[in-house]
Amino acid sequence: MLRKKTVIIGAGGHAKVVMDILLANPEIEVVGLIDKRDGSNIRGYKRLGDDSLLPELLRQDIRHAFVAVGDNDLRRRLAKRAAALGFQFINAISPHAVVSETASLGNGIALMPGSIINADARIGDHAIVNTGASVDHDCMIGSLTHLAPGCRLAGGVTTGEGVFLGIGSKTVDQAFIGAWSVVGAGAVVVGDIPDRCLAYGVPARIVKAIDAGFLAHRKENHMS
């Protein structure tokens, strides 16, 4: 069997979980990690250097990649660069995830241990369904969305691109969460949330609009 030589883009805590998943897949050969901090190893796999190394990896016939970065906007930018160079994105689907045969999965997605994707749900490209999170029937999860550990989405929920739902948050059925909005940890979404809003509480209430500065602050302080 010809294994897919794959580079992991990212080397933080999120990447460690992704690596566990990829190493359990006999079809994938992990060759190393891309990270601005070079030199040290994770489970014996070397941090090769920053993303300026990607063209050289392509020349070495390493054509598959996984962007293992929790921050949605940074993941978007890294995936865009890798795609422009010609990398193909694989999925990191834990053998301990439960995925309906009727679900539709994009490219470059992470389904962590204990995650559940139910009937006719759609998961967009580069989305993350983290540990123990569940996506019920007929949900439409936008590209680059990140469902943190323990999220619970009822049936028919739609999220736009780049949504972040904090740990343990929940939604009622048919809820809509607009692009690049953030739902705080433990919040319960009982109605629609527009694009680029921060909402938290029980029930979740919109507390502010989100600008680029807010997203940059999250990237620097809260994500790996």
Side-chain angles (χ1 to χ4, degrees):
M1 178 179 63
L2 186 62
R3 301 170 74 195
K4 296 177 180 177
K5 293 183 178 180
T6 301
V7 61
I8 298 174
I9 302 174
H14 181 69
K16 291 179 181 179
V17 183
V18 167
M19 177 173 280
D20 278 350
I21 294 170
L22 296 184
L23 291 177
N25 187 336
E27 297 181 359
I28 294 170
E29 177 186 350
V30 175
V31 300
L33 304 99
I34 291 294
D35 187 71
K36 61 184 178 181
R37 302 160 294 182
D38 60 6
S40 59
N41 295 343
I42 297 178
R43 291 189 59 176
Y45 291 85
K46 187 176 180 181
R47 287 184 169 102
L48 301 171
D50 64 24
D51 60 353
S52 65
L53 188 63
L54 291 174
E56 175 59 27
L57 294 177
L58 276 173
R59 288 190 287 270
Q60 296 175 19
D61 204 33
I62 299 165
R63 302 193 173 276
H64 294 87
F66 189 91
V67 184
V69 175
D71 176 79
N72 293 346
D73 186 57
L74 180 57
R75 190 164 69 261
R76 176 189 64 81
R77 290 187 281 117
L78 291 170
K80 183 177 180 181
R81 170 164 167 71
L85 290 170
F87 280 93
Q88 301 173 42
F89 297 110
I90 62 169
N91 288 337
I93 300 176
S94 170
H96 304 293
V98 177
V99 183
S100 168
E101 292 183 357
T102 62
S104 174
L105 306 181
N107 295 315
I109 67 170
L111 303 183
M112 300 306 200
S115 60
I116 300 173
I117 312 296
N118 274 330
D120 290 322
R122 299 181 183 180
I123 311 297
D125 294 346
H126 303 290
I128 300 168
V129 183
N130 222 313
T131 308
S134 63
V135 177
D136 222 304
H137 63 86
D138 299 300
C139 287
M140 298 182 64
I141 305 305
S143 61
L144 298 160
T145 286
H146 184 164
L147 309 183
C151 285
R152 297 286 185 266
L153 273 59
V157 172
T158 298
T159 73
E161 180 183 60
V163 167
F164 178 79
L165 279 78
I167 189 167
S169 57
K170 301 178 178 66
T171 72
V172 298
D173 61 299
Q174 307 298 322
F176 173 84
I177 303 172
W180 299 101
S181 284
V182 173
V183 175
V188 178
V189 177
V190 298
D192 293 349
I193 295 175
D195 294 354
R196 292 187 173 271
C197 289
L198 170 64
Y200 58 78
V202 181
R205 299 184 184 278
I206 297 169
V207 296
K208 66 180 292 184
I210 291 176
D211 57 21
F214 178 84
L215 292 174
H217 173 77
R218 284 185 55 78
K219 179 171 61 182
E220 293 171 1
N221 295 284
H222 298 289
M223 292 291 190
S224 57

